[in-house]
Amino acid sequence: MTQPQTQVVQPKVTYTKGDFVVFRDVEKFWLGKPGHTFVGRVERSWRHADTGKVLYDLVELSANRHRAGIDPDYMRLLPAADAMHDIDSAPLSEPDTGAMTPAAVAWLRLHFAQDATLPARN
């Protein structure tokens, strides 16, 4: 008896300018070449004249390179909540800042530098 196979179906997402995404260079991926996955920022969307499909132009952040005509089927949104999770869940009640991630410490330093000075340590 065979088990039914399930397929994960990604919902259709509309990306807007400024969204951070992870995307794949499809040809490199299917050919098994390295360096096929990138983080980018959406610059614009446009409709392909022949297919009518919405495509996106991105800036590949690691190289500050423009990438045109990215198929949204090979893009995924990078939610801000994921990027900020370490700061949002930092153990602020612990006196040892070593228990916090570097990002959480950096955010706290910036926050206190803008609002007030830290209290003196005894």
Side-chain angles (χ1 to χ4, degrees):
M1 185 166 151
T2 60
Q3 295 291 326
Q5 301 231 344
T6 59
Q7 206 173 20
V8 176
V9 177
Q10 292 293 330
K12 292 290 182 187
V13 176
T14 301
Y15 302 96
T16 58
K17 182 175 180 161
D19 282 347
F20 289 96
V21 296
V22 63
F23 67 99
R24 285 214 163 117
D25 180 313
V26 180
E27 290 179 18
K28 280 185 178 181
F29 176 76
W30 288 118
L31 291 173
K33 294 181 178 180
H36 53 68
T37 304
F38 306 93
V39 173
R41 185 181 59 244
V42 175
E43 290 299 309
R44 75 179 188 118
S45 63
W46 50 280
R47 193 168 296 278
H48 190 278
D50 294 331
T51 65
K53 185 168 188 168
V54 174
L55 301 174
Y56 292 87
D57 291 350
L58 310 174
V59 171
E60 179 188 327
L61 297 180
S62 63
N64 199 27
R65 185 171 73 174
H66 183 78
R67 305 282 295 241
I70 304 297
D71 186 329
D73 290 343
Y74 296 92
M75 294 169 51
R76 296 295 181 265
L77 187 63
L78 293 174
D82 290 349
M84 302 306 289
H85 176 75
D86 60 336
I87 291 173
D88 294 338
S89 61
L92 300 178
S93 62
E94 294 184 23
D96 177 20
T97 57
M100 291 186 250
T101 65
V105 173
W107 181 86
L108 288 169
R109 284 185 180 148
L110 178 66
H111 176 75
F112 283 120
Q114 290 174 352
D115 292 343
T117 57
L118 288 172
R121 291 183 96 164
N122 294 333

